[in-house]
């Protein structure tokens, strides 16, 4: 299981949103590149980037920052979400050095788009499913649909997606522990890798995910790292020791 530091961008700054709400934003840095450098120095070999401006506006806003991170760290695996809504955007980011593009709102609005992108860019397409009480939320979590997370995950399973990034909105940024049961339930429902997100607080959450009988491919960690309740080096050491 990969422990994946998150860097969320808004207006060129590194931020965290509680439950995806703009009015509950904490700014951690005005140097996104320096933050990426920091997590790499701490041992991260994969990083999760979110263009929050892109998520809320539907078009990329932080392409230059993201491209610079990819260029400065060519061996770093980068997964990116936020405003990924066209083949042109995907191609642009892949050329810039991003490894995986996470389709969220567009996947819900136009499911066939996912199948088309998987054919055009095999191995590079992830789906981001954000859940609120088991239902899919879209457009930067501002709208909650009537579609169950599990059924949509199963819908995309046959399209050849590389992984599903599952975020529990109620837990996200709250540092109240990950929604283990919901994450585990989703992992047992599909064969594609599940990357957990939302609510990680400390090393106990990492240990809990590692003990799941339904393998979790990775876990994205944001606020806990920035607030210091989770040490990245310790978390990486735990996962790598158990996997050795």
């Amino acid at each position: 299981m990969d422990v994946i530091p998150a860097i969320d961008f808004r207006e060129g700054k590194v931020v965290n949103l509680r439950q995806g709400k703009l009015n509950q934003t904490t700014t951690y840095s005005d140097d996104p590149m320096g933050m990426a450098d920091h997590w790499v120095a701490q041992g991260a070999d994969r990083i999760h980037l979110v263009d929050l401006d892109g998520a809320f506006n539907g078009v990329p806003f932080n392409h230059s920052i993201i491209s610079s991170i990819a260029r400065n760290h060519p061996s770093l695996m980068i997964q990116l979400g936020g405003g990924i809504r066209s083949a042109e955007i995907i191609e642009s980011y892949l050329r810039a050095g991003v490894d995986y593009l996470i389709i969220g709102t567009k996947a819900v609005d136009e499911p066939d788009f996912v199948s088309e992108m998987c054919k055009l860019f095999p191995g590079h397409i992830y789906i981001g499913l954000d859940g609120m009480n088991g239902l899919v939320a879209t457009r930067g979590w501002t709208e909650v649909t009537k579609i169950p997370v599990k059924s949509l995950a199963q819908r995309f399973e046959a399209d050849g997606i590389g992984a599903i990034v599952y975020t529990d909105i109620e837990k996200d940024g709250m540092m109240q522990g990950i929604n283990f049961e919901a994450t585990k339930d989703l992992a047992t429902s599909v064969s594609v890798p599940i990357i957990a997100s939302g609510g990680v607080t400390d090393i106990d959450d990492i240990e809990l995910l590692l003990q799941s009988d339904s393998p979790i491919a990775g876990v994205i960690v944001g606020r806990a790292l920035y607030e210091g309740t989770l040490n990245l080096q310790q978390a990486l050491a735990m996962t790598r020791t158990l996997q050795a």
Side-chain angles (χ1 to χ4, degrees):
M1 184 179 78
D2 287 324
V3 179
I4 310 167
I7 299 179
D8 293 7
F9 302 104
R10 183 164 183 254
E11 298 176 349
K13 300 180 184 297
V14 179
V15 303
N16 180 271
L17 276 58
R18 292 180 185 268
Q19 297 180 323
K21 298 176 181 177
L22 285 174
N23 63 354
Q24 296 189 39
T25 300
T26 302
T27 299
Y28 287 108
S29 173
D30 58 3
D31 182 12
M33 176 60 69
M35 191 58 66
D37 294 343
H38 173 73
W39 296 133
V40 170
Q42 293 290 307
D45 53 19
R46 178 186 288 253
I47 205 160
H48 178 78
L49 305 181
V50 181
D51 182 351
L52 288 170
D53 300 300
F56 285 102
N57 294 283
V59 293
F61 267 70
N62 294 286
H63 192 288
S64 61
I65 296 173
I66 293 162
S67 298
S68 295
I69 291 173
R71 184 170 56 251
N72 284 14
H73 298 285
S75 62
L76 182 67
M77 301 294 287
I78 298 175
Q79 57 190 55
L80 168 68
I84 310 301
R85 300 180 190 176
S86 74
E88 291 75 18
I89 291 172
I90 293 172
E91 185 173 20
S92 174
Y93 276 125
L94 288 174
R95 286 180 175 175
V98 175
D99 299 283
Y100 305 106
L101 284 304
I102 304 166
I103 304 173
T105 294
K106 185 83 169 182
V108 181
D109 290 346
E110 300 178 35
D112 290 343
F113 175 74
V114 175
S115 178
E116 294 171 6
M117 294 306 100
C118 286
K119 292 174 182 176
L120 284 174
F121 310 104
H124 294 284
I125 303 301
Y126 285 5
I127 295 299
L129 294 181
D130 305 326
M132 174 72 78
N133 295 320
L135 299 177
V136 175
T138 63
R139 292 176 177 81
W141 304 346
T142 59
E143 298 180 17
V144 180
T145 71
K146 296 181 179 180
I147 306 170
V149 170
K150 190 184 301 185
S151 65
L152 195 58
Q154 293 168 340
R155 159 68 175 79
F156 292 126
E157 187 173 8
D159 287 329
I161 57 175
I164 294 171
V165 177
Y166 172 61
T167 302
D168 186 288
I169 297 172
E170 294 174 287
K171 295 286 189 177
D172 190 68
M174 301 304 290
M175 293 179 64
Q176 296 175 352
I178 198 161
N179 191 334
F180 176 69
E181 292 302 325
T183 304
K184 177 182 174 181
D185 185 47
L186 183 60
T188 61
S189 303
V190 294
S191 59
V192 298
I194 299 297
I195 299 174
S197 177
V200 172
T201 304
D202 53 33
I203 198 68
D204 290 342
D205 289 311
I206 304 300
E207 186 173 13
L208 183 63
L209 288 170
L210 284 168
Q211 293 173 352
S212 171
D213 51 10
S214 301
I216 306 299
V219 58
I220 296 166
V221 188
R223 183 176 286 269
L225 292 178
Y226 292 101
E227 297 286 350
T229 62
L230 178 69
N231 180 279
L232 180 60
Q233 291 179 318
Q234 182 185 12
L236 290 170
M238 174 181 284
T239 58
R240 291 167 181 173
T241 297
L242 291 178
Q243 293 169 356

